[in-house]
Amino acid sequence: MSGLKRSWVSSANGAGCPFPLNNLPYGVFSTGDQEPRCGVAIGDMILDMAAVQARGLIDLGAPDLFDMPYWNDVMELGPKGWTALRARLLQILAEGAPEQAELAPCLVPMAEAELHMPIAVSEFTDFYAGRHHATNVGTMFRGAENALPPNWLHIPIGYNGRASTVVVSGTDVIRPNGQIKPPGADRPVFGPCARLDFELEVGAIVGGNTEMGQMLSVADADAMIFGYVLLNDWSARDIQAWEYQPLGPFQAKAFATTISPWIVSAAALAPFRTPTPTREVPLLPYLAEPGPTLFDIDLSVAIQPKGAPRATTICRTNYREMYYSAAQQLAHHASSGCAMNVGDLLGSGTVSGPERENRGSMLEISWGGKEPLTLETGESRSFLEDGDTVTLSGAAQGRGYTIGFGACSGTIRPARNFDQRGDHP
Amino acid sequence: MSGLKRSWVSSANGAGCPFPLNNLPYGVFSTGDQEPRCGVAIGDMILDMAAVQARGLIDLGAPDLFDMPYWNDVMELGPKGWTALRARLLQILAEGAPEQAELAPCLVPMAEAELHMPIAVSEFTDFYAGRHHATNVGTMFRGAENALPPNWLHIPIGYNGRASTVVVSGTDVIRPNGQIKPPGADRPVFGPCARLDFELEVGAIVGGNTEMGQMLSVADADAMIFGYVLLNDWSARDIQAWEYQPLGPFQAKAFATTISPWIVSAAALAPFRTPTPTREVPLLPYLAEPGPTLFDIDLSVAIQPKGAPRATTICRTNYREMYYSAAQQLAHHASSGCAMNVGDLLGSGTVSGPERENRGSMLEISWGGKEPLTLETGESRSFLEDGDTVTLSGAAQGRGYTIGFGACSGTIRPARNFDQRGDHP
């Protein structure tokens, strides 16, 4: 964890700045009526990469890589291209770089920019790889004796999610409608979710392609991960409870998934690598970890009700709590010969820790609604209410610097009435 | 079911021809070293739509609609565009059409063409909407008393599948590897699937977009379906049995899904509309059928082992056996506010019928492997063997004409060894 790398962008050198030269995360932004394009966060500024390339200050061997509303084309360059990109950025943004004068006009104040989805999501897969979360949820649903399914210690359990509703931080989340079977009722009703939840997760962004039929080692999978974001896997617990047997969550998870706007590269996180926890039973060889593939990233969740003067932090945990890493999940994903693509997004599963204050969902925090939480502003919460803003935060703490992720935030809007569902477009 | 519409393409008028003027299905083809482009099947020929548009013989108000390797751009035109396209094709391909001389050079013999995926698949969702299949599988896995899950008669149960491995008929299918827990074993092993299966399904292709948060009536959903294909949801039953609790099938279904190459339009199938079966319990209003939304389509499955002189038909059934239609599935899919997109593919679920000869998967035909099937050539089958070619066929029978789908076929290749998995690209 070598110390802070100093930049000529002075705000990047401030104590606790989430975007020092060590970080250089990748996002997509727009200003005024300009089209969204690729940018890199540095201090309180965004480096307009389209402008940088237009001035000939970076050359990765392909034109128009950055005048795009996503980083997919850069990902297609592969790890060598990613390394060259980061090396060049570290060079030209470093304190004393001769390019400073030429680059300065390419900086845009972050406060003036709108942030967009950083990638075109190819497919979204969500995992269930947090030991504490799986144990908590399993205990609630199946009892303490049957908390962990028999396959859980062998397989990074996952399911395919919905890519069409992955949205960037700041996008409102409309409370979903769905089939719900009230306790004791004979039949389900259709109506607004009454047990709306968040899930604190980390998302891994796949930056390579595999052919159908090709398998991946964990080492190769690890090298294919372009970077990481925070991810909120919004969940409708009452819809989920009624629909999920036998084929898994479907509409309960389909209405929205929020990610943070900045992709923190695997390279920036390299100093924070940490191995997965000790195995209770040995893993099959295809899932063996070749070296540390998890990361030490502090995570937290805050809720701010509409009109409340401040947010209450309701969870603090760390990504290193996961039982399986994203590299192991990706290796498992490809193990059947499933083709993986640039832009695939893998959700880690809820990152809970061992204590109540480490629980990464309302379902766990309120223990299925039985133990409501009191916020600092006095409100009580078992699940999310309309107007609540949920914000996930994440940071890796180096010696003298911080690798921040930027907020992953969403505000709950009231459910729509089916009769006002809108016309077919 | 008004009779055969006659075409100046004489092969289209032959008895039993799957592609008469009444059909006009949409595909993507190539010849020689030309790029794949859009075509329409008529008799034993393909009408090269890129050539038709280049000659100014069709005008839908947008350029370059057909010189594309998918029909997605045409789908984006919406139902009015689809109606205009079909009306124009019916006009210019009809017997006596004055355009015959100009069009003739745009015809390519089907025998000389290679067929490709007809659409770019946005996302793939697979349902479980066949009453007989769900009852058969549920009886095997949970016993006759618990065969149908309690939600089954209320919800068109579905799960998100993997779009990256949807392939066109004729693509080889590599037997997948995966975690399998042998009967009586303490721990799983990693190796080739020993219970490889097909599932006979019909795929619906979504031709419109909805916004996140928007819901759909069944009538609007029905109007958004561009057309239908045959779909083989290849399944690894041993991988599935070990992995599917609690979040559903994942790698067991991720290695391949095969579709037939021709999209049969909803318009061509209009004469074959039929209502879903009588409800055992009333559906919630958002799923109510506004008119007949299923179709009377005969379906069959044949297996031909490697080197066998002929294929054996092992299943005959009909799409009208489904309990839920694709329109109902799509309305349910959007009910949470899940955004739907042009190119989304919805698998019907396995189309089994009431008798053994109507069962649409080996799992059902061999009753979990306990009652092996003997093929006409003498071989016995509980599940699929390397070298087997599985072909799904489908046709709607009108008075004096047939609406065919073209074959949906795939041949099983041996599993790869993990140590020869190939390098990371």
Side-chain angles (χ1 to χ4, degrees), chain B residues 116-157:
Chain B
H116 304 271
M117 277 290 293
I119 60 167
V121 180
S122 295
E123 298 192 60
F124 170 46
T125 308
D126 195 37
F127 286 86
Y128 187 61
R131 176 73 192 263
H132 303 290
H133 173 73
T135 303
N136 286 339
V137 173
T139 301
M140 273 182 267
F141 286 2
R142 293 178 292 271
E145 302 75 29
N146 302 307
L148 273 192
N151 52 19
W152 201 92
L153 294 170
H154 300 278
I155 303 184
I157 296 286

Side-chain angles (χ1 to χ4, degrees), chain B residues 161-215:
Chain B
R162 184 77 190 171
S164 64
T165 44
V166 178
V167 294
V168 73
S169 177
T171 308
D172 285 347
V173 172
I174 301 169
R175 179 180 298 273
N177 287 290
Q179 282 201 29
I180 296 162
K181 187 146 174 282
D186 281 348
R187 290 180 181 179
V189 296
F190 184 85
C193 166
R195 291 162 73 92
L196 185 57
D197 204 353
F198 66 87
E199 286 191 346
L200 168 60
E201 302 196 15
V202 172
I205 294 169
V206 176
N209 303 293
T210 64
E211 303 277 325
M212 190 171 147
Q214 185 184 344
M215 292 173 275

Side-chain angles (χ1 to χ4, degrees), chain A residues 33-34 66-67 120 123 151 211 213 227 283 326 396:
Chain A
D33 50 7
Q34 282 197 286
F66 304 106
D67 197 10
E123 300 193 58
N151 52 18
E211 302 278 324
L283 286 179

Side-chain angles (χ1 to χ4, degrees), chain A residues 49-62:
Chain A
M49 292 299 295
V52 173
Q53 188 172 30
R55 283 161 194 253
L57 290 165
I58 193 161
D59 179 9
L60 298 176

Side-chain angles (χ1 to χ4, degrees), chain B residues 291-381:
Chain B
T293 57
L294 264 184
F295 298 91
D296 180 352
I297 303 169
D298 290 326
L299 301 168
S300 65
V301 183
I303 294 187
Q304 184 161 15
K306 186 178 181 181
R310 62 182 181 279
T312 302
T313 296
I314 61 169
C315 166
R316 291 182 194 280
T317 181
N318 191 292
Y319 183 47
R320 69 170 173 252
E321 295 286 355
M322 303 312 286
Y323 195 76
Y324 296 99
S325 66
Q328 289 172 313
Q329 291 168 339
L330 178 54
H332 179 66
H333 209 322
S335 66
S336 67
C338 178
M340 304 303 301
N341 288 309
V342 164
D344 283 340
L345 174 65
L346 312 183
S348 61
T350 305
V351 188
S352 293
E355 307 299 331
R356 184 179 176 188
E357 70 204 43
N358 310 133
R359 294 177 187 164
S361 67
M362 287 306 300
L363 180 68
E364 296 166 86
I365 293 170
S366 73
W367 208 252
K370 291 179 190 162
E371 302 170 15
L373 179 77
T374 302
L375 304 180
E376 287 172 18
T377 45
E379 291 97 336
S380 171
R381 284 290 181 280

Side-chain angles (χ1 to χ4, degrees), chain A residues 123 151 154-155 160 162-164 179 209 214 217 224 242 245 251 286 333 336 339 344 421 423-425, chain B residues 123 151 154-155 160 162-164 179 209 214 217 224 242 245 251 286 333 336 339 344 421 423-425:
Chain A
E123 300 193 58
N151 52 18
H154 300 278
I155 303 184
N160 298 297
R162 184 77 191 172
S164 64
Q179 281 201 28
N209 303 292
Q214 185 184 343
S217 68
M224 267 177 66
W242 172 235
Q245 289 285 11
Q251 293 307 290
Y286 82 104
H333 210 322
S336 67
D344 283 340
R421 64 190 174 274
D423 291 330
H424 170 225
Chain B
E123 298 192 60
N151 52 19
H154 300 278
I155 303 184
N160 299 297
R162 184 77 190 171
S164 64
Q179 282 201 29
N209 303 293
Q214 185 184 344
S217 68
M224 268 177 66
W242 172 234
Q245 288 286 11
Q251 293 309 291
Y286 82 104
H333 209 322
S336 67
D344 283 340
R421 64 191 174 274
D423 292 329
H424 170 225

